[in-house]
Amino acid sequence: MKWKLGALLVVGVLLVSMVPAGWTYIKGDGVQTTVTPSTGIVTGMKPEPQAPQHQMTLQIDNTNALIQSEITPIVDGLGMAIAPFIDESGNTMLPMRFLAEAFGAEVGYDDTKRATTMTVGEAPEEGEVSTQIVAELKQNDPIMMVNGTQHTLSAAPVNVNGTFYVPVRAVSEAFDWQVQFVPKESGAFVFVGDGEEAFSDEDVVYLRTEGAEKLGLSTTQHVNDSLILRAGAEDMLGNGQLLDLPEGQGLIYQEGSGYYLPTEIMAQISGGILSADGFGNLMQDSKVISTDTIEQEGLYYHNITAFATALSQNYMELGNGIIMLTKNELAQDDNRCAAIVSIVMERLPAITETIPVADHYVALTFDDGPTSGLTPKLLDGLLERGAHATFFMCGYRIEDFNSFGSRYLAEGHELGNHTMDHENLTNLTTSGQKQQMNDTTALIEQYMGGAPTLMRPTGGAYNDNVKATMRELGYPVIMWSLDTQDWKTRNEDAVYKEIVNNVQDGDIILMHDLYSTTVDAVFRAMDALTLQGYAFVTVSELAEIRGIELQPGEVYNNLRAAA
Ligand code: ZN
């Protein structure tokens, strides 16, 4: 995760006193919304008592924990930040592996019982009395077996994105661990200990103070104390509340100079402290405070760093087109940033037609479809990931599989022509080539609701004659720069590795929506590459990003940036 901490300048005491306590936002209809920040910080005296031994402090929605007073990030098996949460029935759910490892418990899986096990203590030697405790838990099953005795849990363990969460109270009871909850108003902490005694009142005060000092704000508290915008989103978040942006007036990004916001929105958010003069300069107290202005469609936009400075806010770019202005300095903690990004991406979805802000772009292309069942699954996964792809279709397939045809354009994908009968065009006369193309285009228009904009020759076979035909019919000829060999291996791991090991910015990746192994592999590859700053766009979007106008009859193998 890439992020930067912007410079923070305090612009004098006078200004600080003018800064509103919350974000004020006046909508077009004149309705004023003021949202005030919640602090969530627990203050208290530092008492004499020491931290209790063998103890762990967690906080709801905080991706860090304290184990024996040491800050410890909570991560899943893939190294992604995770955090405790409270389920709909009020059960506090903790990641089981993290909980177990903090107390030296072994986690295993019992194949015959299909249960996840947590074991405390050594297996007994022969003749010894066992002191070992084994708990068996199953996903979505509220029954826990402890040394063969059945216990009913207040909540079934759940699997969230591959992490097994358990209700902390019930599991702790199985091992005689102590648990203490601190309510939301006092910080939403959970203390777990394996000592003999329950936590005393002094312990709780101590741990609460220590937790507030060391763990900082939870992810939710950070979001609730900030102004967050995302490029391409229709709303913004002001202290955790969704505030709508005027149509077409969101955050915009300029290569090299960062993010800009329209004056009008800046003025509203700042409660009128900021304005613009007739030249578009950003004004505060009748003084020009920034001339870093761009004009777009008759509106002035100002660099967000000037805005942050004027309001004495910390400014951060969190990746994925997300910026955050906050009074609370965010610890330089990638784990926490990742957790905030995932909340924001869910709450501020980017509009699908816009090209996402990313470090690298590639075009995923799928040939020889559509395929009933498989292509819809692929479309679902692309939609979930905010990704666009290009589909080079065969006419004979469209005749058979077209019930989902309207989805392609609606979900931002690009339509491509791959001939009617998967014919090698170099073996055909000019009129044969045209017939193969025109018949397919007619079917695409009929079932997909729009004409194809590109073509890919079957088998990648083209010659001057094919190029001349495509020039006449208006199709750029799209080849590829990364061949996944998916048709040959039909193996998920192999296809996944071909992509992630070879991908370069600007690649056109060849796949086929004919095999479920391809679909599974591409989802995995997309998830891995997203973490490396990649976004997935159509071939034409990739050309647009590169400033290339695709020409009919010209052949494109990739759309990498010019060296
Ligand atoms: Zn093909």
Side-chain angles (χ1 to χ4, degrees), residues 214-254:
K214 291 191 175 172
L215 290 179
L217 298 179
S218 73
T219 305
T220 318
Q221 287 166 332
H222 269 300
V223 170
N224 290 349
D225 276 353
S226 305
L227 178 74
I228 300 175
L229 290 119
R230 184 176 187 204
E234 290 179 318
D235 298 312
M236 60 183 170
L237 282 171
N239 293 330
Q241 293 189 20
L242 275 186
L243 303 170
D244 53 51
L245 291 164
E247 179 104 22
Q249 286 189 43
L251 200 60
I252 59 171
Y253 184 74
Q254 283 272 317

Side-chain angles (χ1 to χ4, degrees), residues 366-369 392 394 418-419 422 456-460 480 510-512 514:
F366 298 94
D367 291 8
D368 298 0
F392 292 101
C394 289
H418 196 49
T419 78
H422 208 259
R456 172 171 286 160
T458 59
W480 56 85
L510 172 65
M511 286 167 285
H512 300 81
L514 291 176

